[in-house]
Amino acid sequence: MAESAGKYDYIIVGAGSAGCVVAHRLTQEHDISVLLIEAGGKDDYLWIHIPVGYLYCIDNPRTDWRYRTEADQGLNGRSLIYPRGKVMGGSSSINGMIYMRGQARDYNTWAELTGDASWRWEQVLPLFKKSEDHYLGGDAMHGVGGEWRVEKQRLSWEILDAFREAAAQSGIPKTNDFNRGDNEGCGYFEVNQKRGMRWNTARAFLKSANRRGTLDIMTGCQVQRLKLEHTALGPRCTGVEFISAGHEWVAEAKAETILAAGAVGSPQILQLSGIGPGALSRQHGIPVAVELPGVGENLQDHLQLRMAFKIKGAKSLNTMAGSWYGKMKIGLEYALWRTGPMSMAPSQLGAFTRSDASQATPNLEYHVQPLSLEKFGEPLHGFPAFTASVCNLRPSARGHIRIASADASAAPKITTNYLSTEADRKIAATAIGLTRKIVAAPALQAYAPEEFKPGGQYTTERQLEQVAGDIGTTIFHPVGTCKMGSGDDPLAVVDSRLCVNGVSGLRVVDASIMPAITSGNTNSPTIMIAEKAAQWILAARR
């Protein structure tokens, strides 16, 4: 018999990027009680807060769900690690800390797909600004005084400065701000840090909320399913059933239950509850509650093609961290001034450009790093080098997420279908060629760059399409698996107010609701979604 965890006005499943924001906003109203449930633990692991600590958080069971994708034909049969934060702060505790909104056209497209003009760029911009605390202060495009701190990086690299100059020589202009609606250009990324420390959503949004007597937080809680009640008006979500410390619990929501478990977790919980494709539910012996074929479909992600180049005559992290003396020097610099390589985001320099003239806005994003390694988790190479990763920002391929069993502790099957369309393969080949053009520009020639990943022997379009499958890997931006859409969209899971179709008392508020992926990193758009949802939830309550 399940024990009662109590009754609350709202239950939020997932204390990640969205869940922390919604919990904070709702509990600013002092008459609202909220239960925030998190499967992971507290964000008290030292390496969460030291920026370079992402190296020790990704694929670590203390902080990461440690998902893996199914073997992918587009990646020449490879399976990838698929990191998602399993800790307070969610993926904002293990991600690259890059502050990126995307492009104005992204949100205008959402408005067209949903028929709801409130998703247009000029409507969501005030929400980005609301939570923002920009180090340069406020202006027409940036906010100040909000919870979400945005700072410039606390280091620079000669080789990255040269890459930026080479990009300019190749037709990609320099920019100092990627977040004004048009992110074309090349420059250093701004990051979600505070004085050289990672600034995750648990610190940003829950610090004050935690002191309110109306918010309860339970960690180490694995949600088994949603609690559904059948009424004359159809199914209604009345809470959640979960396991904590080996005991079964049930918590009841008087107003709404809010799924904020992310692009993997939210569709998984819906499917476990019989909300999703009916055939999938029946396959696993789960009673069908609501037939919603789009749950788990429409998975989109940014595939990065990691090209690496040996260099001469410039420092890279490979050589700086290649000795105990170098490591001690790096550690001392960070301890004294919170600067240097330990303060750095995984990618420091970015660039946005077009793969061809037919693209109305940039459809490629570069993440450039003063380091190289064979794959994540392996040691840095023993020679100086840099990596230039390039992503197709608007892939046409779609994957899906489906439960593997009725057991909530079993990881779902993640099928990405990278490079499964001719358009995506063509853009991948073009992107590799463009990277070579930048590296061949005069500004980099003093460093004698030598391509060793994938290697200059691949030259034809067919060869480049094939080798893209060897060097491609996720850059950790899964979205879209509970997409919002208009009433005539058969795959829409939620409406434009993020209410689950066919179930009352239930919303999804996270990156899974994106109908189309944003043109850039996805964490801060998720925070904007949460800000918007909180406004709607409070308006509905009033």
Side-chain angles (χ1 to χ4, degrees), residues 46-68:
L46 175 65
W47 287 114
I48 289 173
H49 304 292
I50 296 175
V52 80
Y54 73 93
L55 291 167
Y56 308 105
C57 292
I58 290 178
D59 210 28
N60 180 342
R62 180 170 179 169
T63 49
D64 184 1
W65 282 95
R66 302 187 74 203
Y67 296 124
R68 290 199 73 93

Side-chain angles (χ1 to χ4, degrees), residues 449-473:
E450 177 189 347
E451 178 185 330
F452 68 94
K453 184 184 283 292
Q457 68 271 30
Y458 304 103
T459 56
T460 69
E461 183 170 309
R462 177 67 188 127
Q463 287 175 332
L464 295 179
E465 290 178 0
Q466 182 71 20
V467 81
D470 292 330
I471 62 173
T473 186

Side-chain angles (χ1 to χ4, degrees), residues 305 355-356 359 363-364 391-394 422-432 465:
L305 306 179
S355 61
D356 61 85
Q359 303 292 330
N363 67 321
L364 297 178
C391 302
N392 176 1
L393 290 172
R394 294 188 284 274
E422 182 179 353
D424 288 357
R425 291 191 295 273
K426 184 176 179 62
I427 289 175
T430 302
I432 293 172
E465 290 178 0

Side-chain angles (χ1 to χ4, degrees), residues 322-392:
S323 66
W324 282 110
Y325 173 75
K327 290 175 181 175
M328 287 174 60
K329 187 176 178 182
I330 289 170
L332 184 61
E333 180 180 358
Y334 185 75
L336 292 176
W337 300 292
R338 293 288 186 266
T339 60
M342 287 187 70
S343 73
M344 74 185 211
S347 301
Q348 295 83 57
L349 188 76
F352 291 83
T353 190
R354 296 165 171 81
S355 61
D356 61 85
S358 70
Q359 303 292 330
T361 61
N363 67 321
L364 297 178
E365 178 183 8
Y366 279 90
H367 293 77
V368 192
Q369 308 162 303
L371 56 86
S372 67
L373 66 171
E374 283 304 305
K375 62 181 181 180
F376 191 88
E378 294 193 3
L380 298 174
H381 290 130
F383 46 80
F386 71 89
T387 299
S389 294
V390 59
C391 302
N392 176 1

